[in-house]
Amino acid sequence: MKKKLGRLLVLLLVFLCSSLAIAFIVKHDWDNLNERRQAQTKLNTQLASDYFKKELEEGQYVTDSIESGTVGNGGDLTNFAETAKYMLKKYPDIYSLQLIHDSQTINVYHKKATEVGQSSLLHDSESRKIFEYCRKERINGIVGPIKTGKDRNSLVVLKPIFIKGKFWGYSVTAIKRKDLFKPTFKKLDQLGYDYRLSKTHIITGSYHTLSSTLKKDNAQAKVTFRLGGCSWKLEAARKDAGQMPREVKSGIFSGIFIVIINIVLAVLLLNYLERGRRLSRLVDTDYLTGLMSRQAFDRDVSKYLEKHKGEPSVGALIDIDDFKYINDLYGHDAGDAALKTFAKVLEDNFGQQGLVCRNGGDEFAVFLKRTTMTEGRAIFKKLFRQKLTFSYQGKDYPYTFSLGFAAYPDQGSSREKLLNKADAALYAVKMTGKGTMAAYHPDMVKEGRAQLGFNLRDLAVNLPGAFFIYRADDGKILFANRELLRIMECSSMEVFFEFIGRKVKGLIAPEDYAEAVESCDRQVGDSDDAVAHLDYHVITKENHKRIYVHAVAHMVKNPYFGEIYYVILSPKLE
């Protein structure tokens, strides 16, 4: 549960860190993008304002030109129409040019005939006020938009004309408002901007809108300028203002993808580390008992001794007595149960004070930290006082063990030397009896247990006399040596077992079997350790010869096999 929680916390941390990093990057990019867009909006608004101002200044220039020509001619209007036609042709956005003198107007149009009559501009009271204001202030003025023809609104640029200090009339230019700003408005629209163009009333100074696509007062850029006695204001905002830019959306999607990749990589890394830890545990742990492996034991003991040089410690080697019998009699599953049970006993007794490992097979190693030889002997004695059993298929089976130990640093100055001395002590126990312990002393000669096992087997197989072992309760022969196979004319143990059915009843001639069993039971009786002398015939496999033999049968009680007979046969004359 803790591992799962830790794993989730790591993944959550990766998610949060990745998300915060991506959010910071996206926010930074968004801010930079907004700054660039804001600067671009201001620039484009300024450029558009300059275009508007230039177009209005053209109207003002034409008006000033008409005024200058009139003053220069002393008010003579003979050449006005011709001059006006030239101006209209040069500036196609101008709707008409007018000269107003004594309420009479000469109105020259771009395509229409020249008109002479009363000025319609002065009929409107509001326009008349503005005209009068410009005359009094002697300034140029821009009026409008006002209606200058059927379905046509224009901006009117006017300039009062004074000849020799006396007011003479007005020079007027009517500009087609719709056509005046159309290219610039179209360009702003193409660039993705909403806009609003406003101007002030020449007298009141209040703003009114000339053209607008802005729906709210959310302008991102604003440019003002003065011209024709008015203040002009152009406001602009991106159409996608307030919306998440496409670049930011792409950044967010990329960020989400990166977060997912980071989480996947974190999962893969955690899995890799977990596999590493599992592999380390597999290497450092015995797969069957859960104890330390010999490799981990050697490593940790060496590290401890290196760190605590000269500090008293005890090393011991332990193995289960007659473990082969457990495997042979009950099966390897029973042997595994015995190993697991004994491993737990060792861990419970020594795990807090030292290190315990399984050496391999039925052998274990123990290292007791900060322990003298005397203290180690007392600790091990407590273990021997315990009654040890293992459970298999619902039954408890007793077992014993043997133990040899040595002291560091007196008897072994390194891990290797210490365990070699403990191994020699264990060998000495095996040679003199089982189910006990011994401390190392210099008179002990260390031999490998592989050699010990080989010598016993060699002794039994090559004994110069027929020898076999059988179990009393069912007569099953457990072992036969090479000499018995020779007498019985059997080429191998398998042939021998097949010939006699692996029963002592198949070895003894049928006519002698009942008498031999009765005689054996009578001689042994209820004793736990007795010897019986028997005479009977055996029949060979190949030639069916009857051989008369004398048998010496020694009955002992084995903790694994129950009552066991060790039998020596020797031929006998009839």
Side-chain angles (χ1 to χ4, degrees):
M1 183 65 184
K2 288 183 179 180
K3 289 183 179 179
K4 289 184 178 179
L5 182 59
R7 186 184 180 92
L8 288 174
L9 288 175
V10 170
L11 293 178
L12 180 60
L13 183 62
V14 170
F15 171 76
L16 290 176
C17 291
S18 300
S19 299
L20 288 174
I22 295 301
F24 175 80
I25 293 172
V26 170
K27 178 66 166 56
H28 182 264
D29 290 346
W30 196 346
D31 289 343
N32 286 343
L33 182 62
N34 281 338
E35 288 180 6
R36 292 196 301 271
R37 286 186 168 185
Q38 184 70 22
Q40 189 66 43
T41 299
K42 289 181 178 179
L43 177 61
N44 288 333
T45 305
Q46 183 64 58
L47 290 173
S49 175
D50 291 343
Y51 280 123
F52 292 150
K53 186 176 181 181
K54 179 182 177 183
E55 291 171 328
L56 290 170
E57 284 177 341
E58 287 179 353
Q60 188 165 276
Y61 166 75
V62 172
T63 305
D64 289 345
S65 298
I66 297 299
E67 182 265 344
S68 297
T70 303
V71 173
N73 293 330
D76 184 5
L77 303 179
T78 305
N79 297 322
F80 169 69
E82 184 179 347
T83 304
K85 287 288 185 181
Y86 170 77
M87 290 290 188
L88 288 172
K89 186 176 181 181
K90 187 176 181 180
Y91 300 102
D93 290 335
I94 297 176
Y95 171 64
S96 68
L97 293 175
Q98 301 180 28
L99 271 178
I100 302 175
H101 176 63
D102 292 335
S103 299
Q104 293 296 314
T105 302
I106 300 174
N107 201 344
V108 181
Y109 296 98
H110 190 54
K111 292 183 179 181
K112 292 168 59 177
T114 300
E115 296 178 352
V116 179
Q118 289 190 342
S119 173
S120 60
L121 296 176
L122 298 178
H123 292 170
D124 179 64
S125 61
E126 184 65 27
S127 298
R128 192 166 51 250
K129 289 180 181 179
I130 296 173
F131 272 69
E132 287 296 321
Y133 176 80
C134 291
R135 181 180 67 79
K136 289 179 181 180
E137 298 295 328
R138 293 196 175 194
I139 61 172
N140 288 11
I142 298 178
V143 185
I146 60 177
K147 196 165 185 178
T148 56
K150 184 178 181 182
D151 299 325
R152 183 179 298 279
N153 287 322
S154 301
L155 288 175
V156 173
V157 182
L158 67 93
K159 185 173 185 180
I161 300 173
F162 291 88
I163 298 176
K164 295 182 180 181
K166 282 187 65 177
F167 174 70
W168 183 85
Y170 299 95
S171 170
V172 178
T173 301
I175 305 172
K176 293 179 277 188
R177 184 177 68 90
K178 183 178 180 181
D179 297 335
L180 178 63
F181 306 127
K182 185 177 180 180
T184 306
F185 285 150
K186 184 177 181 180
K187 190 65 176 179
L188 286 173
D189 184 69
Q190 290 173 347
L191 291 174
Y193 294 104
D194 286 323
Y195 54 85
R196 179 168 49 238
L197 180 63
S198 307
K199 65 177 284 293
T200 57
H201 192 279
I202 195 170
I203 299 175
T204 65
S206 59
Y207 275 101
H208 65 276
T209 301
L210 298 179
S211 183
S212 176
T213 59
L214 273 176
K215 296 179 181 179
K216 296 181 179 178
D217 190 17
N218 57 348
Q220 294 176 304
K222 178 175 67 175
V223 178
T224 60
F225 61 90
R226 291 283 301 179
L227 189 66
C230 305
S231 292
W232 298 77
K233 180 168 66 176
L234 177 62
E235 300 167 282
R238 292 183 61 90
K239 292 181 179 181
D240 57 3
Q243 300 177 16
M244 185 178 293
R246 184 180 67 255
E247 297 90 333
V248 174
K249 289 181 181 178
S250 299
I252 290 174
F253 288 132
S254 299
I256 292 172
F257 179 73
I258 291 172
V259 170
I260 294 172
I261 291 296
N262 286 344
I263 292 175
V264 171
L265 290 176
V267 170
L268 293 176
L269 179 59
L270 289 173
N271 289 340
Y272 174 78
L273 294 175
E274 180 61 26
R275 287 194 188 98
R277 285 192 291 268
R278 287 178 182 175
L279 182 60
S280 178
R281 285 196 296 269
L282 287 174
V283 172
D284 291 349
T285 306
D286 178 64
Y287 74 95
L288 179 65
T289 63
L291 295 177
M292 298 177 72
S293 66
R294 180 57 189 263
Q295 173 181 312
F297 179 83
D298 288 349
R299 181 193 65 223
D300 290 359
V301 170
S302 296
K303 285 183 179 179
Y304 180 83
L305 294 180
E306 181 67 25
K307 189 175 181 180
H308 302 83
K309 286 185 178 180
E311 185 178 285
S313 300
V314 171
L317 291 180
I318 311 168
D319 70 8
I320 298 175
D321 296 328
D322 301 318
F323 183 70
K324 186 176 183 302
Y325 286 151
I326 298 175
N327 279 333
D328 291 345
L329 185 60
Y330 305 115
H332 289 283
D333 289 343
D336 290 347
L339 290 172
K340 292 178 183 178
T341 301
F342 191 51
K344 187 175 188 310
V345 169
L346 296 178
E347 182 67 26
D348 291 344
N349 280 270
F350 308 126
Q352 295 295 321
Q353 189 172 348
L355 304 172
V356 182
C357 83
R358 181 188 175 200
N359 248 358
D362 64 327
E363 187 175 271
F364 298 83
V366 172
F367 179 77
L368 299 179
K369 303 174 183 178
R370 296 179 293 278
T371 304
T372 64
M373 174 70 84
T374 302
E375 292 169 340
R377 188 189 304 275
I379 291 170
F380 294 138
K381 279 184 178 180
K382 291 180 182 179
L383 180 62
F384 276 92
R385 294 191 192 107
Q386 300 177 30
K387 184 178 180 181
L388 302 179
T389 61
F390 70 90
S391 296
Y392 179 65
Q393 293 184 345
K395 288 186 178 182
D396 292 336
Y397 299 92
Y399 66 94
T400 60
F401 65 93
S402 299
L403 184 151
F405 64 99
Y408 169 87
D410 297 337
Q411 296 175 329
S413 58
S414 66
R415 173 189 57 79
E416 296 87 348
K417 293 179 180 179
L418 179 66
L419 294 180
N420 281 341
K421 300 296 174 60
D423 196 29
L426 178 59
Y427 175 78
V429 173
K430 290 292 188 181
M431 291 298 292
T432 57
K434 302 174 183 178
T436 186
M437 69 177 183
Y440 173 79
H441 61 80
D443 294 335
M444 291 178 173
V445 178
K446 186 254 181 186
E447 299 288 349
R449 250 153 316 288
Q451 182 181 351
L452 173 64
F454 172 78
N455 287 341
L456 290 176
R457 180 180 180 278
D458 189 50
L459 175 65
V461 171
N462 296 298
L463 191 70
F467 171 75
F468 70 96
I469 305 170
Y470 76 93
R471 191 161 53 199
D473 61 352
D474 58 3
K476 182 179 180 180
I477 293 179
L478 304 175
F479 176 81
N481 73 343
R482 188 176 299 163
E483 180 63 16
L484 180 59
L485 268 60
R486 187 190 66 77
I487 292 173
M488 296 299 295
E489 299 178 347
C490 294
S491 60
S492 66
M493 189 71 71
E494 289 77 13
V495 173
F496 173 68
F497 283 155
E498 183 179 358
F499 173 57
I500 67 171
R502 200 169 184 175
K503 297 284 186 177
V504 71
K505 184 176 181 180
L507 178 65
I508 302 174
E511 63 273 16
D512 294 341
Y513 178 73
E515 183 180 349
V517 172
E518 181 182 356
S519 175
C520 182
D521 290 343
R522 185 173 61 252
Q523 293 179 61
V524 171
D526 296 328
S527 174
D528 290 339
D529 190 342
V531 177
H533 294 267
L534 309 169
D535 294 318
Y536 49 78
H537 292 87
V538 296
I539 302 173
T540 65
K541 179 180 184 296
E542 297 297 334
N543 297 310
H544 303 289
K545 290 195 307 182
R546 290 172 59 83
I547 300 176
Y548 193 51
V549 297
H550 177 71
V552 180
H554 182 198
M555 191 279 289
V556 297
K557 287 194 174 180
N558 184 283
Y560 307 113
F561 293 95
E563 293 182 354
I564 299 293
Y565 281 92
Y566 296 83
V567 183
I568 297 177
L569 296 180
S570 57
K572 182 179 180 182
L573 295 175
E574 294 194 53

